[in-house]
Amino acid sequence: MHNSLEDDAYWRGRLSELRGWSFGDTPEMADELLDLVLRGIKSATCSLHKAFEDAGDSLPLKGEESYVKDSRGHPRCVIRITKVELVPMNEMTEDFARKEGEGDLSLDYWHREHRRYFELYCKITESELLVCEEF
């Protein structure tokens, strides 16, 4: 992995203004998905709408910036949201699955892995509402 953004004086100040977060549910997943972003392969992500509701968090907005952390909690990149949509899981598109940049980039892979991941949180349905973000 490359150096953290916090090694640079400009970014240390800038990061204090932003929310930081990591991908996934394991250190390995955090680093793997971050690497896809850094290599320009991953330009989208999605979350369960229910998770936002349960946490009382507001939905992301187009134009918002945040930083992505590696598995050690170090800021590695800043992203700006370019598009946010609420999409039922059964209406996910090949295009969005490709933008997520994971596995073989197929919609089948996307469905299988996202169902597995989301069901760690709760039982989901095919029409489960997702918050889809592009950055």
Side-chain angles (χ1 to χ4, degrees):
M1 289 260 168
H2 302 35
N3 291 336
S4 170
L5 292 176
E6 61 198 344
D7 294 337
D8 180 281
Y10 168 80
W11 284 110
R12 273 194 307 275
R14 183 77 174 88
L15 293 174
S16 68
E17 304 167 3
L18 303 176
R19 177 181 68 87
W21 55 279
S22 298
F23 287 105
D25 61 344
T26 66
E28 296 79 19
M29 187 180 287
D31 288 341
E32 177 185 322
L33 298 180
L34 170 62
D35 182 60
L36 293 173
V37 172
L38 295 175
R39 292 189 301 144
I41 296 169
K42 182 173 182 64
S43 63
T45 193
C46 67
S47 307
L48 290 171
H49 184 263
K50 179 180 180 56
F52 283 92
E53 289 179 327
D54 290 352
D57 292 338
S58 58
L59 296 179
L61 299 172
K62 181 179 176 179
E64 282 184 341
E65 292 180 322
S66 61
Y67 63 90
V68 183
K69 300 183 284 186
D70 64 21
S71 62
R72 296 172 314 223
H74 297 291
R76 295 296 311 283
C77 67
V78 173
I79 61 168
R80 176 180 291 126
I81 298 172
T82 58
K83 185 177 183 179
V84 179
E85 288 185 300
L86 298 179
V87 178
M89 190 163 185
N90 59 357
E91 293 180 24
M92 185 52 60
T93 65
E94 288 274 354
D95 183 54
F96 191 85
R98 214 173 9 266
K99 289 176 182 177
E100 283 234 35
E102 300 170 32
D104 66 4
L105 307 180
S106 72
L107 187 56
D108 287 340
Y109 179 91
W110 184 95
H111 271 286
R112 184 176 58 254
E113 291 304 309
H114 282 75
R115 173 173 287 286
R116 179 201 61 76
Y117 180 75
F118 291 149
E119 288 199 341
L120 294 173
Y121 180 76
C122 67
K123 182 75 175 151
I124 62 169
T125 66
E126 279 302 308
S127 60
E128 197 73 42
L129 197 57
L130 306 177
V131 179
C132 297
E133 303 172 53
E134 294 183 31
F135 47 87

